Amino acid sequence: MAELEQTLLDWLQSGRRFSVAVVVETWSSAPRPAGAMMAVASDGQTVGSLSGGCVESAVHELALEVLATGQAGLAHYGTSDDEAYAVGLACGGQIEALVIPIVDETTTVPLAGYLRALEESRPAALALELPVIRETSAGDLGDTDDPTGRILFIEPAGSAAGVPAAAGRRSATGGTEAEWRTSGTLGHPRLDEHVTTDAGAMIAQGRTGVREYDSTGKRLGAGTRIFVTTSVPPSRLIIFGAIDYAAALSQLGKFLGYQVTVCDARPIFATPERFPDAHEVIVSWPHRYLDDEVRAGRIDSSTVIAVLTHDLKFDVPVLLEAARSKAGYIGALGSRRTHTLRVEAMAQAGASTAEIDRIHGPIGLDLGARSPEATAVSIFAEVLLEFARGSGRSLRNTTGPIHS
């Protein structure tokens, strides 16, 4: 998303005309999730992706049509295997895409607010009114009475532009309308009010999806579909141990979208120059730093903790802190013998069996990794497996949907 955010902000700053396409719903093996975004400028330049290359050509054509007519549209791709293949969805997946022309302040201002929130890792939401889709073949332009499409941007009132949210916090506290700042409109004050409240709850849960109201905003009504996509601060990767394996892991963590912290008590090793991909490098005893982060509420179920020091005087105290925290994944580097010694020392320090069992040690999956880079892949393979509850088996040896 980083390239998309900066490019669109540049386009908005320069007054360039463009359309934005957003995936609002998916079915079956759709390549990218709801909220994926793509933009097409009037000269045909494209940034972003809706499907990893599957339907981009069809959406590109539709986006230029939307820009020419000024009429927002909704298209459904992949309604049958034949149609899916025709637009590139040979996997059989289906997506519904909303395309909106960005033409004046009613669309440019709320879109710019959301893009800045994404860029600065602040919690926010963008609500988009969906036109009625035609009951015809895939890719048709949807009917709508609104020539441009309506957009509402929502963010916590205490979230100031230029001030990133605290690292690792994936949610904002839901609350009353007064706690939220908005720009743009969905066409009716009560609809704006209810969508703002509902979007606040979706931000808190990190959810994206479609909600339905009537034209005046009643939640039990029908006929007005609003798609809400949310921005939450990225998950944290905290690496303890300023070693070469940490450099490789921080690089991969940044690539995967994590907010990366490297921490080590030794100032000669814990330097920004040695870890250019880390968002921050901390000189501190690992267990003291982690205790401070836990007390500040910056460790949650999305946090990944990797202890790479394989030195008991560092490992045991920080693993005790980690095992008693809300961290979603805890791993420790080292041989089986080293891990056995760690476990014995933790038990002597009062760790319970349940706390010790939370630790993935030795860290990573058995991929035959030896180099720091391959070991980083091994570690994140296990992280992804843990969070997604996958089987870890080769896909060629499984059946059924790839994405459950």
Side-chain angles (χ1 to χ4, degrees), residues 237-254 260-264 266 269-270 274-278 281 306-310 333 371-373 375-376 379-380:
L237 166 63
I238 305 178
I239 304 169
F240 294 108
I243 63 175
D244 50 355
Y245 288 88
L249 188 61
S250 65
Q251 182 180 32
L252 183 56
K254 181 181 180 181
V260 181
T261 298
V262 174
C263 176
D264 196 298
R266 302 165 296 180
F269 296 116
R274 295 190 68 228
F275 302 97
D277 295 298
V281 179
V307 179
L308 307 185
T309 47
H310 53 86
L333 184 70
S371 69
E373 293 76 16
T375 300
I379 292 170
F380 258 108

Side-chain angles (χ1 to χ4, degrees), residues 113-371:
Y114 185 65
L115 292 170
R116 291 192 187 99
L118 288 175
E119 185 179 47
E120 297 168 6
S121 297
R122 292 185 282 112
L126 191 67
L128 311 166
E129 184 182 15
L130 304 183
V132 177
I133 190 170
R134 292 177 180 172
E135 295 295 331
T136 54
S137 61
D140 276 357
L141 187 65
D143 292 325
T144 176
D145 295 329
D146 182 3
T148 61
R150 296 186 179 102
I151 305 178
L152 179 68
F153 168 61
I154 304 113
E155 67 176 344
S159 178
V163 181
R169 293 190 178 179
R170 294 178 54 78
S171 64
T173 302
T176 64
E177 184 190 12
E179 295 176 4
W180 302 93
R181 180 168 54 238
T182 65
S183 63
T185 181
L186 296 170
H188 192 285
R190 184 162 62 176
L191 180 59
D192 289 349
E193 177 185 346
H194 287 174
V195 170
T196 295
T197 301
D198 294 343
M202 295 175 75
I203 292 171
Q205 298 164 4
R207 291 177 49 223
T208 288
V210 177
R211 302 185 70 92
E212 193 162 1
Y213 310 81
D214 73 4
S215 60
T216 66
K218 290 181 180 178
R219 290 190 177 92
L220 298 180
T224 299
R225 297 170 66 222
I226 304 296
F227 171 70
V228 180
T229 183
T230 60
S231 162
V232 293
S235 301
R236 296 190 74 185
L237 166 63
I238 305 178
I239 304 169
F240 294 108
I243 63 175
D244 50 355
Y245 288 88
L249 188 61
S250 65
Q251 182 180 32
L252 183 56
K254 181 181 180 181
F255 176 76
L256 292 173
Y258 282 78
Q259 184 81 15
V260 181
T261 298
V262 174
C263 176
D264 196 298
R266 302 165 296 180
I268 192 172
F269 296 116
T271 65
E273 292 75 19
R274 295 190 68 228
F275 302 97
D277 295 298
H279 295 88
E280 58 179 357
V281 179
I282 304 295
V283 178
S284 174
W285 276 84
H287 69 286
R288 292 174 184 166
Y289 172 76
L290 185 57
D291 178 61
D292 289 343
E293 294 300 287
V294 170
R295 291 177 182 274
R298 291 191 286 266
I299 305 297
D300 62 22
S301 60
S302 73
T303 304
V304 174
I305 294 176
V307 179
L308 307 185
T309 47
H310 53 86
D311 182 331
L312 294 186
K313 68 175 178 290
F314 292 113
D315 291 3
V316 174
V318 74
L319 286 173
L320 285 169
E321 290 286 346
R324 293 163 180 167
S325 75
K326 296 179 180 179
Y329 174 92
I330 306 163
L333 184 70
S335 67
R336 297 189 190 281
R337 179 179 179 277
T338 297
H339 190 62
T340 297
L341 294 174
R342 273 194 299 243
V343 168
E344 292 173 352
M346 290 182 67
Q348 291 173 5
S352 68
T353 299
E355 289 169 344
I356 291 172
D357 286 346
R358 294 193 62 204
I359 300 166
H360 296 262
I363 197 170
L365 296 186
D366 182 9
L367 303 182
R370 291 183 179 274
S371 69

